[in-house]
């Protein structure tokens, strides 16, 4: 894999080759562009991050293509929130639980069915509206709970009772008239006096009077309900409004059947609506099959095949969900055990606890080993613990994913060498057969890589950035050695006296050889023969004795001091470190005086503040982890008991 970056942040030009399906390592000091590479391949704020002062266009390519087409995973300090404090449980779920393909396929089929059912329900929306209107207007809001019969208060029931007691002929007559004429008749009946018509003053016959009295006894409100819903009644029964007692009774039975059918329809449509709501956390095992009755068959025949298919797939889904949960329970236990073992190896006294429901984790906690209350202690983790746990989770997350590149930017901070070596082993073992680049400002990862026995080591490079031009230099096993050995080797190969003094001075840093250290320091700080010999005289010795001791100690051939050596310095052969030491003394050579902030950094380099030149006696002081200490205590007790017995 080839990564090309131009004019992005502090990188003017970079060409980096990685070995595919291997773990590649890049070591570089802070500010050389490691994070820039990470941001570039994610095309982060291209306009804002364009290299300042350069007119050429920003170019970012992977194997000559846009990085956006690649599946790239990356780890940096921001991943802590993704894994330790996730906004959702998705990332933790992906790590702890494998996908169950069979269950997922059934879920896909079930979801497709739900969409089809929803479309069909929307298609018959007008018919459902007609049913519900008739049910509301004629049947009331509810049926009797025990018998599923119409309640006595239902308007169709009142009308049925009214007609059964009165004359069918009067009802038929009213049915044949318009509402206006019926109202005219009813208004006139109330005005009859002396058996005469109130409108024409004619004498009414006995037959006519009996007929009018029967009409008056009919409940006009109930009758109007039928008239107002005539169109819906015609649509459902395919016949006009009934005019006989038996006809009204049949309509009453129809309304009751429609209401019974609607009970099943509402149960079915509500279940579909809930399943269509992506925001609702629904557990399939809590869903039940839909029981079809004859009324539903009669009034919703178009939905019967869908209900049968729904019941079939729901049953399969519930069964597969049960098997998946059972399988996941074992897997969850196995995965959390693996993660907790990895965490424990890093001497972090926490463990992951996770519970799930359906196919989702409902609770995820980091519990301290000694906490009997098992409270979530994520907030109590130190920065190093958060970093380490999130890195472990990241590795396990990437282990399961199909990736083109995994980019790890300064993976572990605030960790000792032992734990860094453990986590490096995790990288090798967990990310097998994946293309990975580990970038760090700590050379320890490069050291582990060159000494690794793993066969999945890719390139190991030192990243050098000079004015935006990035150079990647191979790091080999021979490049790692004891610091003192490197200094002695440098001294032996050098013909430059002052260069020898620089390396000898660092070699004697912190050693119990004060006269040699003082002698070398005096020369290092640009001295004169007079000043040097005054120092030597104060120590009651001579230069030849000091030089002889140095030569015998390191099998070198250092000459005695001459002031002319300062004029013979060949700076072209000096390393950056040696040049820095020389720069520190520039003011004594009548050159540009070094600035205070530069002097501080040079002092840090010269005095080897990052080198373990002083340590406590390992026989008197403990240098081990809590886990090792506990193991030693157990062994000591067992050994003592064996002797006693």
């Amino acid at each position: 894999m080839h990564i090309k970056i131009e004019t992005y942040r502090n990188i003017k030009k970079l060409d980096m080759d990685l070995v595919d399906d291997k773990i590649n390592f890049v070591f570089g000091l802070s500010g050389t562009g490691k994070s820039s590479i990470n941001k570039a391949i994610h095309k982060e704020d291209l306009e804002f991050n364009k290299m300042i002062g350069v007119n050429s266009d920003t170019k970012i390519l992977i194997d000559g293509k846009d990085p956006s087409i690649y599946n790239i995973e990356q780890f940096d300090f921001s991943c802590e929130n993704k894994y330790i404090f996730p906004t959702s449980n998705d990332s933790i779920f992906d790590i702890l639980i494998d996908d169950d393909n069979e269950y997922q396929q059934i879920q896909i089929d079930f979801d497709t069915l739900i969409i089809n059912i929803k479309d069909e329900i929307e298609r018959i929306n007008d018919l459902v509206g007609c049913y519900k209107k008739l049910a509301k207007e004629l049947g009331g809001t509810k049926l009797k709970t025990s018998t599923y019969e119409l309640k006595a208060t239902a308007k169709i029931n009142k009308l049925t009772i009214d007609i059964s007691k009165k004359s069918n002929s009067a009802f038929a007559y009213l049915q044949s008239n318009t509402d206006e004429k019926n109202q005219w008749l009813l208004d006139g009946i109330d005005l009859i006096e002396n058996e005469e018509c109130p409108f024409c003053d004619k004498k009414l016959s006995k037959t006519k009077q009996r007929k009018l009295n029967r009409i008056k006894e009919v409940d006009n409100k109930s009758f109007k309900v039928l008239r107002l819903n005539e169109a819906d009644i015609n649509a459902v029964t395919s016949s006009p409004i009934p005019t006989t007692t038996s006809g009204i009774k049949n309509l009453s039975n129809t309304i009751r059947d429609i209401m019974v059918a609607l009970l099943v329809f509402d149960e079915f449509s509500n279940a579909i609506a809930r399943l269509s709501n992506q925001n609702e956390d629904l557990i399939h095992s809590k869903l039940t099959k839909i029981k079809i009755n004859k009324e539903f068959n009669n009034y919703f025949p178009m939905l019967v095949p869908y209900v049968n298919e729904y019941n079939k797939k729901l049953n399969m889904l519930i069964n597969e969900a049960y098997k998946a949960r059972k399988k996941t329970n074992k897997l969850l236990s196995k995965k959390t055990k693996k993660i907790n073992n990895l965490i424990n190896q890093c001497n972090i006294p926490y463990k992951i606890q996770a519970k799930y429901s359906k196919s989702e984790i409902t609770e995820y906690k980091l519990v301290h080993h000694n906490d009997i209350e098992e409270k979530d202690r994520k907030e109590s983790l130190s920065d190093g613990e958060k970093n380490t746990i999130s890195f472990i989770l990241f590795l396990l997350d990437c282990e399961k994913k199909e990736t083109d590149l995994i980019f790890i930017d300064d993976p572990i901070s605030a960790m000792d060498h032992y734990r860094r070596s453990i986590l490096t082993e995790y990288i090798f073992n967990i990310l097998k057969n994946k293309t990975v680049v580990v970038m760090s400002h700590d050379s320890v990862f490069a050291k582990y890589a060159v000494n690794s026995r793993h066969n999945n080591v890719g390139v190991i490079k030192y990243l050098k950035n000079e004015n935006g031009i990035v150079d990647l230099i191979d790091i080999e096993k021979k490049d790692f050695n004891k610091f003192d050995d490197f200094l002695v080797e440098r001294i032996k190969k050098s013909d430059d006296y002052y260069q020898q003094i620089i390396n000898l001075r660092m070699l004697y840093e912190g050693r119990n050889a004060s006269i040699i250290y003082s002698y070398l320091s005096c020369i290092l700080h640009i001295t004169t023969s007079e000043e040097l010999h005054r120092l030597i005289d104060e120590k009651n010795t001579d230069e030849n004795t000091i030089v002889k001791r140095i030569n015998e100690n390191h099998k070198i051939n250092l000459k005695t001091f001459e002031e002319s050596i300062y004029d013979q310095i060949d700076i072209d052969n000096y390393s950056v470190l040696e040049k820095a030491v020389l720069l520190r003394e520039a003011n004594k050579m009548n050159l540009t005086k070094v600035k205070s902030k530069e002097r501080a950094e040079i002092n840090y380099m010269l005095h080897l503040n990052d080198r373990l030149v002083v340590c406590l006696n390992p026989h008197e002081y403990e240098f081990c982890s809590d886990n090792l200490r506990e193991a030693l205590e157990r062994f000591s007790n067992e050994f003592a008991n064996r002797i006693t017995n």
Side-chain angles (χ1 to χ4, degrees), residues 114 118 271-282:
I114 297 304
K118 189 178 179 182
I272 299 304
R274 290 175 65 198
L275 287 166
S276 300
N277 183 2
Q278 298 298 322
N279 295 322
E280 185 169 350
D281 182 20
L282 185 66

Side-chain angles (χ1 to χ4, degrees), residues 348-376:
I348 298 176
Y350 289 86
K351 60 183 177 181
I352 280 182
Q353 283 188 353
K355 294 182 180 179
Y356 73 97
S357 180
K358 192 182 64 173
S359 58
E360 294 181 0
I361 290 177
T362 57
E363 186 178 9
Y364 154 60
K365 299 189 294 185
L366 270 171
V367 177
H368 194 280
H369 289 170
N370 299 330
D371 186 6
I372 59 175
E373 296 181 7
E374 296 189 337
K375 292 182 178 180
D376 189 0

Side-chain angles (χ1 to χ4, degrees), residues 130 134 175 226-227 229-242 251:
C130 174
L134 283 177
Q175 172 64 21
L226 289 180
R227 184 64 64 85
N229 292 280
E230 184 174 5
D232 292 326
I233 293 172
N234 290 342
V236 172
T237 63
S238 300
S239 60
I241 295 176
L251 179 59

Side-chain angles (χ1 to χ4, degrees), residues 162-284:
D162 188 41
I163 292 175
S164 67
K165 292 180 179 178
K166 312 300 177 185
S167 170
N168 286 343
S169 60
F171 183 78
Y173 177 70
L174 287 171
Q175 172 64 21
S176 64
N177 295 332
T178 64
D179 287 341
E180 290 78 9
K181 183 176 180 180
N182 287 336
Q183 190 61 48
W184 178 79
L185 285 170
L186 292 171
D187 291 342
I189 290 171
D190 292 335
L191 299 174
I192 293 176
E193 293 182 3
N194 301 322
E195 300 179 350
E196 292 179 351
C197 174
F199 302 107
C200 63
D201 296 331
K202 288 184 179 182
K203 191 76 173 177
L204 296 174
S205 66
K206 297 294 183 181
T207 302
K208 179 69 74 176
Q209 289 183 46
R210 285 196 298 272
K211 186 175 183 179
L212 289 172
N213 287 333
R214 288 172 184 154
I215 290 172
K216 185 178 180 181
E217 291 173 353
V218 174
D219 186 349
N220 194 39
K221 290 182 180 179
S222 298
F223 176 73
K224 280 187 176 181
V225 170
L226 289 180
R227 184 64 64 85
L228 290 172
N229 292 280
E230 184 174 5
D232 292 326
I233 293 172
N234 290 342
V236 172
T237 63
S238 300
S239 60
I241 295 176
T243 59
T244 64
T245 302
S246 60
I248 294 296
K249 183 64 177 175
N250 288 337
L251 179 59
S252 175
N253 290 335
T254 297
I255 299 302
R256 177 261 174 198
D257 289 349
I258 288 174
M259 293 179 72
V260 172
L262 282 172
L263 291 175
V264 179
F265 173 82
D266 287 342
E267 180 186 0
F268 186 50
S269 61
N270 287 338
I272 299 304
R274 290 175 65 198
L275 287 166
S276 300
N277 183 2
Q278 298 298 322
N279 295 322
E280 185 169 350
D281 182 20
L282 185 66
I283 300 174
H284 295 125

Side-chain angles (χ1 to χ4, degrees), residues 1 3 5 11 14-19 22-38 41 405-411 424 427-428 435-450 457-465 470-475 480:
M1 177 178 288
I3 297 176
I5 301 173
I11 297 176
L14 172 143
D15 285 282
M16 180 165 67
D17 287 304
L18 304 175
V19 181
K22 301 285 186 181
I23 315 294
N24 301 272
F25 292 83
V26 177
F27 159 62
L29 300 177
S30 298
T32 51
K34 300 183 304 301
S35 295
S36 295
I37 299 171
N38 179 25
I41 62 176
L405 175 64
I406 299 171
F407 195 98
I408 301 174
D409 184 10
D410 272 330
T424 305
I427 295 173
F428 281 120
T435 304
V436 182
V437 55
V438 180
M439 306 199 79
S440 177
H441 65 273
D442 192 335
S443 63
V444 68
F445 295 102
K447 181 183 72 175
Y448 293 146
V450 296
V457 178
V459 299
I460 307 169
K461 298 283 188 178
Y462 171 71
L463 188 151
K464 181 180 179 182
N465 187 335
V470 175
D471 191 14
L472 290 159
I473 304 166
D474 287 330
I475 298 176
F480 283 99

Side-chain angles (χ1 to χ4, degrees), residues 1 58 60 66 72 81 108 119 129 137 143 169 188 211 221 259 304 306 354-355 359 374 474 505 519 530 610:
M1 177 178 288
T58 299
I60 303 167
D66 191 314
I72 302 172
N81 290 333
I108 292 170
D119 291 343
E137 294 293 335
L143 295 167
S169 60
K211 186 175 183 179
K221 290 182 180 179
M259 293 179 72
V304 171
Y306 288 104
K355 294 182 180 179
S359 58
E374 296 189 337
D474 287 330
R505 167 63 169 69
Y519 172 79
E530 183 180 352
D610 58 349

Side-chain angles (χ1 to χ4, degrees), residues 96 139 211 256 320 328 333 403 430 450 529 570 598 629:
L96 292 175
K211 186 175 183 179
R256 177 261 174 198
E320 288 302 321
T328 299
S333 175
T403 60
I430 296 174
V450 296
S529 295
D570 184 6
E598 294 169 344
R629 186 179 296 106

